[in-house]
């Protein structure tokens, strides 16, 4: 499907939905995640009087920053029809290198640059190996998971890096009532949104994810798009790592384990299809907020950690079922 | 590799024979030390302490192996020690269940086994180490003595499904034994600093007042401390962790954390070597040689910072 036909068929889809009025699948496609988010918030405020307080909402925002940053990056990857399971370990590697540079030089700027540079490098390696050797991204990033974790353990000798000084401003400071980490997130969300919606790169991401062969035929170089997306993803991993290590005020080589799970869940809950070709940044952010609110309310209600794991798993399963179901409903309509 | 080891052994034996004169190869007491993973900071510190302790007796020679966290590799290494007919085996088991065949084989070969730090689920051996339940107990005793009347507390659990997570929590509950103290909530933060911080931030929102946070390790305790600092609620909250990591010691010295529990690597290594010496003298080895955890508070933190 080329870009032109993609937009045409979407327009047709929109017309069809207008004509046939209420159709659950269509509504879910468009507003589902927002409705679920509002529903969960209402439920949470009924279950706990604390939930809707200003302090708690700021708290939730601060807590979703790291996973949201990762989710923004991996949205590009998933729209391209790829996957990245190395987010958590790459985050740890970037964050620890940043803290280590901070301790060595005492400069926040150098620390941030170093952490981001490591993200760029790992993204470049992932993207290059995947496109050059035609390796499934799942396998390559799985390999990167253990390599990055091994590297960070090797670098630190397994013990945390401490004595970070001013570094903690990034994750703990605030400008007025707004945490700096939340401002960083907002900046990167806007950047990601603009890249995906307002640039040629973004349109190519959809095109390559929708149908790689067709995109190649229409003159796009899919490999270069994939590599660029992995580099962008790496940068966001780096920023997420810096924010996380700054927040906990120490470089934790064992940090970030399983964060890729939360990030990918956020993306899928946010309506991005794991098959590639469709997805939005706004959806991803709402997905991340849904996960953040659920984590928050489960803790506020003191739900046992055993149940929390089960509930999180069910949410991802339900989101994927809805994704597949609404898609098949739409396809049937087309046919 | 094996040949090299044999050569090295031969050299060591001949050198010691020259130096002591009386000692011959037959009189050397050989210990096989099967380490769990040389990459683990604590486990490595204990191995180094054992090497130090072994220097006190020139008639004892220690051969080392490293299983790198692989339970089956560790069994092979124990087979090697048995084939070499070592006089005693010290093993830091990779896995509580996985080590059993190795212990049983050594039993059958008549070689005494010392399990260091972690027990074995079966076979005959001497356990040298600390019991996790005691770490929790020391936290409980401290809180019992220091919490105000009608105190409210929160408990940060370790990773669900690990035996030491359960034991530390149980030890704490057993020793606290105060009916006026109310546990507001108990949640897992997977021994992780970021998660400890997150859970505590949520607690700060739910509970307007609490007097103590007890964590199953120092990283979660330090995460809780960061959360309290962010909300300006450090004052009046007793925080306790386990491990004695440098950050926790600094926080205790600064009066921000109240307690941590120190697992004594050197003490465990020394005790293990004493058991080895006992076996060498022909004594019947005990079933258990416990090395107590040390409770670190503001009063004694300085002596641990120096180490």
């Amino acid at each position: 499907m080329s870009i032109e036909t993609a937009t045409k068929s979407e327009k047709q889809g929109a017309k069809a939905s207008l004509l046939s009025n209420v159709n659950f699948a269509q509504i879910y496609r468009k507003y589902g995640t927002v409705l679920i988010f509002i529903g969960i918030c209402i439920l949470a405020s009924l279950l706990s009087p604390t939930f809707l307080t200003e302090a708690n909402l700021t708290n939730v925002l601060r807590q979703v920053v790291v996973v949201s940053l990762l989710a923004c990056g991996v949205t590009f990857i998933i729209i391209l029809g790829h996957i990245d399971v190395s987010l958590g370990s790459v985050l740890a590697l970037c964050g620890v290198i940043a803290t280590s540079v901070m301790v060595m030089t005492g400069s926040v700027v150098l620390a941030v640059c170093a952490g981001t540079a490591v993200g760029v490098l790992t993204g470049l390696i992932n993207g290059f190996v995947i496109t050059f050797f035609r390796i499934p991204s799942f396998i390559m990033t799985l390999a990167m998971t253990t390599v990055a974790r091994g590297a960070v353990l090797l670098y630190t000798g397994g013990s945390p890096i401490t004595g970070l000084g001013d570094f903690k401003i990034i994750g703990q400071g605030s400008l007025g009532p707004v945490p700096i980490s939340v401002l960083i997130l907002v900046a990167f969300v806007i950047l990601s949104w603009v890249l995906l919606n307002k640039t040629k790169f973004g349109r190519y991401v959809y095109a390559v994810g929708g149908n790689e062969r067709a995109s190649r035929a229409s003159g796009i170089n899919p490999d270069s798009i994939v590599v660029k997306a992995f580099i962008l993803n790496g940068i966001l991993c780096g920023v997420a790592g810096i924010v996380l290590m700054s927040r906990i005020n120490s470089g934790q080589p064992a940090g970030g384990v399983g964060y890729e799970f939360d990030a990918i869940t956020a993306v899928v809950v946010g309506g991005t299809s794991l098959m590639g070709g469709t997805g939005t940044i706004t959806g991803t952010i709402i997905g991340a907020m849904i996960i953040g609110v659920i984590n928050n309310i489960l803790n506020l209600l003191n739900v046992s950690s055993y149940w929390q794991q089960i509930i999180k798993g069910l949410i991802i399963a339900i989101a994927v079922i809805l994704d597949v179901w609404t898609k098949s409903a739409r396809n049937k309509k087309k046919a | 590799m094996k040949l090299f080891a044999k050569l090295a052994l031969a050299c060591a034996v001949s050198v010691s024979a020259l130096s002591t004169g009386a000692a011959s190869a037959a009189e050397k007491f050989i210990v096989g030390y099967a380490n769990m993973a040389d990459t683990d900071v604590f486990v490595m510190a204990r191995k180094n302490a054992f090497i130090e302790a072994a220097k006190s007796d020139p008639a004892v020679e220690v051969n080392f192996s490293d299983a790198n966290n692989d339970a089956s590799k560790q069994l092979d290494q124990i087979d090697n020690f048995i084939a070499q007919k070592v006089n005693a085996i010290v093993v830091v088991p990779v896995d509580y269940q996985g080590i059993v065949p190795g212990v049983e084989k050594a039993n059958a070969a008549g070689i005494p086994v010392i399990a260091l730090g972690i027990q074995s689920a079966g076979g005959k051996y001497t356990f040298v180490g600390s019991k996790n339940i005691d770490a929790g107990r020391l936290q409980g005793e401290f809180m019992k003595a220091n919490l105000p009347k009608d105190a409210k507390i929160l408990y940060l659990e370790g990773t669900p499904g690990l035996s030491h997570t359960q034991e530390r929590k149980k030890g704490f509950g057993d020793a606290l034994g105060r009916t006026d103290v109310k546990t507001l909530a108990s949640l897992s933060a997977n021994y992780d600093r970021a998660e400890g911080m997150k859970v505590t931030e949520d607690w700060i929102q739910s509970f307007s007042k609490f007097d103590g946070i007890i964590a199953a390790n120092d990283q979660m305790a330090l995460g809780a401390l960061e959360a309290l600092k962010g909300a300006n609620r450090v004052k009046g909250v007793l925080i306790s962790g386990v491990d004695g990591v440098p950050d926790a010691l600094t926080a205790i010295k600064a009066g921000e954390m109240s307690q941590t529990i120190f697992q004594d690597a050197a003490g465990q290594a020394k005790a293990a070597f004493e058991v080895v010496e006992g076996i060498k003298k022909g004594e019947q080895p005990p079933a258990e040689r416990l090395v107590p955890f040390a409770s670190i508070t503001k009063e004694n933190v300085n002596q641990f910072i120096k180490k």
Side-chain angles (χ1 to χ4, degrees):
Chain A
M1 199 192 288
S2 77
I3 318 157
E4 285 79 11
T5 55
T7 47
K8 217 182 271 174
S9 76
E10 249 162 46
K11 270 181 198 157
Q12 276 169 356
K15 245 185 233 163
S17 82
L18 274 176
L19 291 175
S20 66
N21 279 328
V22 193
N23 174 315
F24 176 77
Q26 294 278 356
I27 291 180
Y28 177 77
R29 271 274 148 210
K30 280 199 128 165
Y31 309 109
T33 44
V34 181
L35 292 176
I36 289 175
F37 177 59
I38 294 171
I40 287 173
C41 285
I42 293 173
L43 193 66
S45 57
L46 292 176
L47 287 170
S48 161
T50 322
F51 177 74
L52 269 186
T53 59
E54 190 197 323
N56 187 55
L57 293 180
T58 318
N59 183 27
V60 174
L61 275 180
R62 231 184 300 127
Q63 293 180 353
V64 298
V65 168
V66 171
V67 165
S68 301
L69 284 167
L70 294 177
C72 275
V74 83
T75 300
F76 287 83
I77 305 297
I78 294 177
I79 292 176
L80 278 167
H82 286 269
I83 192 80
D84 186 350
V85 294
S86 67
L87 302 174
S89 337
V90 170
L91 166 147
L93 181 62
C94 297
V96 164
I97 298 285
T99 53
S100 150
V101 170
M102 181 68 210
V103 171
M104 281 189 285
T105 64
S107 155
V108 179
V109 178
L110 279 179
V112 169
C113 290
T116 318
V118 175
V120 170
L121 187 69
T122 50
L124 181 67
I125 295 171
N126 273 335
F128 172 76
V129 175
I130 288 164
T131 53
F132 189 81
F133 295 103
R134 304 271 153 224
I135 291 174
S137 50
F138 178 77
I139 300 299
M140 176 53 206
T141 55
L142 195 61
M144 181 57 86
T145 306
T146 71
V147 170
R149 185 67 68 188
V152 69
L153 288 169
L154 191 67
Y155 184 75
T156 57
S159 38
I161 293 173
T162 56
L164 302 185
D166 290 339
F167 190 71
K168 68 175 178 185
I169 288 171
I170 304 168
Q172 295 193 2
S174 13
L175 276 181
V178 190
I180 290 174
S181 57
V182 174
L183 293 176
I184 293 174
L185 174 64
V186 170
F188 277 97
V189 168
I190 293 172
L191 177 78
S192 307
W193 188 88
V194 169
L195 276 176
L196 194 55
N197 295 287
K198 298 289 170 196
T199 65
K200 210 159 67 175
F201 168 71
R203 286 198 299 281
Y204 288 177
V205 166
Y206 282 113
V208 173
N211 187 333
E212 193 186 320
R213 240 188 275 164
S215 72
R216 201 184 288 271
S218 55
I220 300 171
N221 177 358
D223 290 353
S224 115
I225 300 295
V226 169
V227 172
K228 279 180 197 157
F230 268 100
I231 291 174
L232 175 67
N233 181 42
I235 292 173
L236 280 153
C237 275
V239 175
I242 290 162
V243 171
L244 178 76
M245 301 304 175
S246 155
R247 190 168 127 80
I248 55 180
N249 196 15
S250 87
Q252 295 272 324
V257 173
Y259 281 31
E260 57 278 349
F261 179 78
D262 278 357
I264 294 169
T265 307
V267 174
V268 173
V269 169
T272 297
S273 166
L274 281 173
M275 313 293 162
T278 57
T280 58
I281 291 292
T282 40
T284 292
I285 290 304
I286 294 168
M289 292 295 299
I290 289 176
I291 311 249
V293 167
I294 289 172
N295 278 336
N296 176 249
I297 191 70
L298 291 176
N299 281 347
L300 290 184
L301 295 176
N302 196 24
V303 174
S304 110
S305 8
Y306 308 161
W307 275 109
Q308 293 203 11
Q309 297 192 14
I310 295 176
I311 292 169
K312 269 191 184 172
L314 290 178
I315 289 166
I316 194 169
I318 291 168
V320 176
I321 290 168
L322 280 173
D323 174 53
V324 172
W325 184 65
T326 53
K327 190 176 266 174
S328 69
R330 195 172 57 169
N331 288 344
K332 248 182 240 158
K333 226 179 156 60
K334 265 188 211 160
Chain B
M1 198 59 197
K2 244 183 202 169
L3 180 70
F4 180 74
K6 272 184 192 157
L7 276 174
L9 185 70
C11 287
V13 167
S14 55
V15 167
S16 65
L18 280 176
S19 58
T20 58
S24 73
E27 279 170 284
K28 265 278 185 191
F29 190 86
I30 298 171
V31 177
Y33 188 109
N35 206 14
M36 174 180 97
D38 284 355
T39 48
D40 184 294
V41 178
F42 177 81
V43 166
M44 193 58 202
R46 189 167 51 199
K47 178 175 154 179
N48 286 331
F50 191 87
I51 295 172
E52 267 317 298
K55 280 184 187 157
S56 66
D57 186 348
V60 172
E61 187 182 297
V62 190
N63 293 346
F64 292 96
S65 71
D66 172 22
N68 198 15
N69 272 327
D70 182 336
S72 94
K73 200 169 171 184
Q74 187 161 56
L75 289 179
D76 294 344
Q77 290 168 342
I78 288 183
D79 281 348
N80 289 345
F81 284 143
I82 294 171
Q84 289 164 21
K85 296 198 167 61
V86 297
N87 301 90
I89 294 174
V90 176
V91 59
V92 183
V94 171
D95 186 76
Y96 169 70
Q97 296 284 349
I99 195 62
V100 176
V103 175
E104 284 172 347
K105 249 188 207 170
N107 289 159
I111 300 172
V113 178
I114 296 163
L116 183 52
I118 296 167
Q119 282 160 293
S120 156
K124 197 172 155 297
Y125 63 95
T126 304
F127 172 67
V128 177
S130 313
K131 288 198 158 168
N132 273 295
I133 197 157
D134 292 333
R137 199 167 282 147
L138 285 169
Q139 289 183 298
E141 282 163 9
F142 177 84
M143 289 296 162
K144 185 181 180 181
N146 291 288
L147 281 173
K149 200 174 154 29
D150 296 323
K152 296 188 173 73
I153 57 163
L154 297 158
Y155 189 89
L156 280 169
E157 300 166 27
T159 306
L162 297 181
S163 61
H164 54 283
T165 299
Q166 306 275 11
E167 285 166 12
R168 286 177 189 181
K169 192 177 174 189
K170 185 176 183 306
F172 173 71
D174 289 352
L176 182 64
R178 260 177 59 176
T179 46
D180 64 314
V181 174
K182 192 178 165 219
T183 304
L184 294 173
S186 172
L187 285 173
S188 165
N190 289 318
Y191 292 120
D192 182 79
R193 186 145 162 176
E195 272 191 67
M197 184 175 180
K198 209 186 250 185
V199 171
T200 308
E201 282 174 342
D202 289 341
W203 280 340
I204 289 169
Q205 301 306 324
S206 314
F207 308 114
S208 55
K209 189 184 177 299
F210 46 80
D211 310 283
I213 296 182
I214 296 86
N217 80 343
D218 277 345
Q219 293 305 339
M220 293 191 292
L222 289 161
L225 175 61
E226 290 296 334
L228 291 176
K229 274 188 191 165
N232 249 331
R233 297 252 305 249
V234 182
K235 239 188 146 178
V237 181
L238 303 177
I239 305 176
S240 171
V242 176
D243 282 342
V245 302
D247 257 12
L249 299 183
T250 316
I252 289 173
K253 200 169 158 68
E256 295 170 333
M257 238 174 101
S258 305
Q259 182 198 31
T260 182
I261 308 298
F262 177 68
Q263 196 174 358
D264 187 358
Q268 289 185 3
K270 236 170 102 190
F273 190 72
E274 281 164 19
V275 174
V276 167
E277 288 284 275
I279 295 169
K280 186 173 160 236
K281 281 184 206 138
E283 292 165 13
Q284 184 66 28
E288 218 174 43
R289 171 73 192 273
L290 293 184
V291 179
F293 282 101
S295 166
I296 304 178
T297 58
K298 202 165 172 113
E299 281 74 47
N300 62 353
V301 67
N302 278 331
Q303 76 194 69
F304 289 93
I305 285 179
K306 268 179 237 147
K307 278 184 186 173

